[in-house]
């Protein structure tokens, strides 16, 4: 039976505050849990442990901090244990940049800060050239490799591997009776070698964290595929890497379009194999974040025909309140984008009248251009922020 060595790297907390992310550490932890549970079902059938997961994240429940030297040491440790029969999986969630004359991809580790630019990136970032060196067959013998990059510009990592002329088969070799089927699945896995690379975006694209799902978009799509898309499972139970990645790729592109963004994952492979067994217990342990209501920009007008405009800029003030409510991380009630193609998105519109210092608003809560709910609310000109906050809180409460 082969062993699976999974190195899960998630960096949410960088040095300083400028680069900090909300969900990268959670993404690595969640993917680690899903892979660990499924792989153990497939591989731990002989009374021995065959699944080894190393969580290097900035979360509290980590194995080690995701600093560059720690990641290198873990791979060196795996190199002393892994045989040609084994599987190596590396997952990166965090910031990715392109630096140097050749615009090589670097994954920024927890050592990085906003000042880590130019030549300094080599000290705090892991380049594709370095990763290739660390993973050489003479360093890590495992012949089945899976690399997942949930980071901006990560499509460049794929280009880098191609540019370096990597021979994937030899250099970066990295897809009845229940018991009989499982033995057959493991035998099939033993015969395989090859490489899988999944990047969350193209080389010139961002990889989005989606507040709507409290997760990176790629990670959410990978977890959703295991839990809700049984067609990715070979023979209805085995987690097939090719089917898994292709399903996630499609979901990412579709969800990104709904928010008016563009994110196109890239999948490169020269093989196919299964890495886990998915049953009801495995699916139950995957907790997908509840989808939060999506709000787009508001549009309010003064009812006074002589003005026929939003002279008090109430639309802008409400949009700022929507943005503020959405920015409360995992505690936020909603997600806010200025524009979206999603038919599920809500928007606030209506008219207001002004008499002296008093403002009376008629607010329409729309979805797909249809008024779903309507309410009136009053406030004063000298407290526009308080009025806008009250509008947003009431609307958010209505769409729970």
């Amino acid at each position: 039976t082969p062993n699976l060595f999974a190195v899960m790297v998630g960096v949410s907390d960088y040095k300083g505050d400028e680069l900090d992310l909300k969900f990268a550490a959670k993404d690595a932890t969640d993917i680690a849990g899903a892979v660990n549970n499924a792989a153990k079902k497939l591989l731990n059938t002989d009374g021995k442990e065959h699944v080894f997961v190393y969580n290097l994240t900035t979360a509290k429940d980590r194995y080690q901090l995701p600093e560059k030297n720690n990641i290198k040491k873990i791979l060196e440790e795996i190199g002393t244990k892994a045989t040609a029969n084994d599987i190596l999986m590396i997952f990166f969630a965090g910031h990715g940049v392109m630096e140097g004359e050749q615009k090589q991809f670097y994954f920024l580790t927890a050592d990085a800060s906003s000042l880590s630019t130019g030549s300094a990136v080599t000290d705090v970032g892991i380049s594709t050239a370095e990763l290739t060196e660390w993973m050489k067959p003479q360093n890590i013998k495992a012949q089945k490799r899976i690399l997942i990059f949930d980071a901006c510009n990560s499509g460049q990592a794929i280009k880098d591997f191609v540019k370096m002329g990597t021979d994937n088969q030899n250099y970066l070799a990295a897809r009845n009776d229940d018991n009989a089927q499982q033995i057959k699945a493991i035998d099939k896995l033993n015969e395989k070698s090859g490489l899988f690379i999944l990047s969350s975006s193209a080389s010139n694209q961002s990889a989005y964290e989606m507040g709507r799902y409290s997760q990176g978009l790629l990670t959410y799509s990978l977890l959703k595929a295991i839990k809700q898309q049984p067609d990715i499972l070979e023979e209805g139970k085995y987690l097939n890497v090719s089917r898994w990645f292709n399903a996630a790729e499609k979901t990412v592109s579709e969800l990104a379009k709904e928010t008016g963004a563009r994110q196109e994952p890239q999948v490169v492979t020269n093989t196919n194999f299964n890495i886990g067994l998915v049953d009801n217990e495995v699916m139950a342990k995957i907790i997908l974040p509840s989808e939060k209501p999506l709000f787009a920009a508001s549009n309010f007008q003064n009812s006074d025909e002589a003005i026929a405009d939003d002279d008090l800029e109430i639309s802008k003030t409400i949009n700022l309140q929507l943005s503020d409510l959405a920015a409360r991380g995992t505690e936020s009630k909603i997600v806010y984008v200025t524009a979206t193609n999603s038919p599920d998105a809500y928007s606030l519109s209506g008219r207001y009248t002004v008499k002296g210092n008093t403002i009376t608003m008629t607010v329409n809560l729309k979805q797909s251009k249809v008024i779903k709910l309507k309410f009136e609310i009053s406030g004063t000109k000298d407290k526009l922020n308080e009025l806008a906050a009250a509008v947003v809180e009431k609307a958010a409460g209505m769409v729970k």
Side-chain angles (χ1 to χ4, degrees):
T1 302
N3 297 313
L4 168 66
F5 297 93
V7 182
M8 318 305 283
V9 180
V11 189
S12 292
D13 186 13
Y14 287 88
K15 291 184 176 178
D17 299 327
E18 294 87 348
L19 295 181
D20 287 355
L21 296 166
K22 294 178 182 175
F23 308 121
K26 179 179 183 296
D27 288 348
T29 301
D30 289 354
I31 289 290
V35 169
N36 179 60
N37 293 332
K40 284 184 173 181
K41 293 274 186 178
L42 176 65
L43 302 177
N44 289 359
T45 57
D46 58 0
K48 299 178 181 178
E49 183 59 56
H50 294 282
V51 181
F52 305 93
V53 179
Y54 304 83
N55 279 350
L56 287 85
T57 77
T58 51
K60 292 180 180 179
D61 53 341
R62 60 175 177 253
Y63 180 76
Q64 284 186 9
L65 267 174
E67 296 173 341
K68 182 173 180 176
N69 197 45
N70 287 344
I71 297 168
K72 182 180 180 183
K73 284 183 177 180
I74 290 297
L75 291 176
E76 289 173 347
E77 179 185 329
I78 291 172
T80 66
K81 301 175 180 178
T83 67
N85 192 39
D86 293 334
I87 309 160
L88 173 66
M89 179 178 189
I90 307 177
F91 175 92
F92 291 104
H95 282 296
V97 298
M98 294 186 292
E99 289 288 346
E101 292 183 7
Q102 302 299 319
K103 292 298 180 186
Q104 187 174 186
F105 175 79
Y106 285 81
F107 176 81
L108 297 184
T109 66
D111 306 283
S113 72
S114 61
L115 301 177
S116 304
T117 58
S119 60
V121 169
T122 60
D123 296 325
V124 297
I126 299 174
S127 70
T128 42
E130 284 177 302
L131 189 58
T132 298
E133 183 67 27
W134 297 349
M135 293 171 57
K136 278 184 176 180
Q138 57 263 43
N139 295 327
I140 299 179
K141 294 183 176 65
Q143 291 188 359
K144 291 173 279 290
R145 314 277 180 109
I146 303 170
L147 303 178
I148 303 175
F149 297 92
D150 195 350
C152 295
N153 305 303
S154 52
Q156 185 64 36
I158 292 176
K159 289 185 178 181
D160 290 343
F161 282 120
V162 174
K163 195 183 300 180
M164 286 184 284
T166 299
D167 177 349
N168 287 336
Q169 185 66 32
N170 300 314
Y171 184 61
L172 269 178
R175 200 194 119 131
N176 358 151
D177 175 77
D178 285 349
N179 188 48
Q181 285 183 345
Q182 191 151 330
I183 293 171
K184 181 180 176 182
I186 292 174
D187 286 343
K188 185 177 179 181
L189 183 56
N190 286 335
E191 297 169 2
K192 294 290 185 178
S193 65
L195 170 71
F196 268 103
I197 309 177
L198 172 62
S199 72
S200 60
S201 63
S203 57
N204 58 345
Q205 289 179 344
S206 297
Y208 294 99
E209 290 197 319
M210 299 296 285
R212 191 174 187 184
Y213 307 106
S214 298
Q215 207 120 52
L217 194 47
L218 177 62
T219 296
Y220 174 81
S221 299
L222 286 167
L223 294 172
K224 184 174 186 289
I226 297 175
K227 190 175 181 73
Q228 298 182 357
Q229 296 176 252
D231 56 317
I232 71 166
L233 303 178
E234 189 171 290
E235 298 180 25
K237 65 173 71 175
Y238 298 114
L239 183 58
N240 181 282
V241 183
S242 180
R243 294 184 185 182
W244 185 28
F245 283 7
N246 287 328
E249 176 190 18
K250 182 178 179 182
T251 300
V252 169
S253 298
E254 290 174 349
L255 293 178
K257 285 179 183 177
E258 286 186 4
T259 59
R262 187 182 176 201
Q263 183 175 334
E264 299 164 321
Q266 313 288 304
V267 180
V268 168
T269 183
N270 66 348
T271 186
N272 191 15
F273 52 81
N274 302 323
I275 61 164
L277 187 155
V278 177
D279 58 13
N280 289 337
E281 184 181 6
V282 171
M283 287 187 285
K285 288 182 178 179
I286 296 175
I287 309 299
L288 291 177
S290 298
E291 188 172 333
K292 298 175 184 177
L294 178 65
F295 278 80
S298 306
N299 181 21
F300 287 88
Q301 301 290 321
N302 193 322
S303 296
D304 190 333
E305 294 182 1
I307 298 176
D309 195 5
D310 184 10
D311 59 312
L312 298 183
E313 295 190 335
I314 286 182
S315 301
K316 178 181 178 181
T317 308
I318 287 177
N319 289 340
L320 289 173
Q321 291 293 333
L322 285 167
S323 179
D324 180 66
L325 182 60
R328 298 175 189 173
T330 55
E331 303 302 318
S332 64
K333 298 178 181 178
I334 65 165
V335 175
Y336 171 69
V337 293
T338 55
T340 176
N341 297 321
S342 173
D344 298 326
Y346 292 96
S347 64
L348 298 173
S349 63
R351 294 184 175 275
Y352 58 89
T353 58
V354 181
K355 291 184 179 179
N357 192 41
T358 302
I359 303 173
T360 303
M361 299 181 63
T362 299
V363 181
N364 300 315
L365 179 64
K366 290 184 177 181
Q367 188 180 46
S368 297
K369 300 180 180 180
V370 176
I371 297 175
K372 297 293 185 179
L373 295 165
K374 180 183 289 191
F375 62 90
E376 286 194 358
I377 192 167
S378 297
T380 57
K381 288 172 63 176
D382 60 338
K383 293 183 179 180
L384 279 181
N385 283 333
E386 287 86 341
L387 175 59
V391 170
V392 168
E393 287 290 344
K394 188 174 181 66
M398 286 178 162
V399 297
K400 285 182 179 179

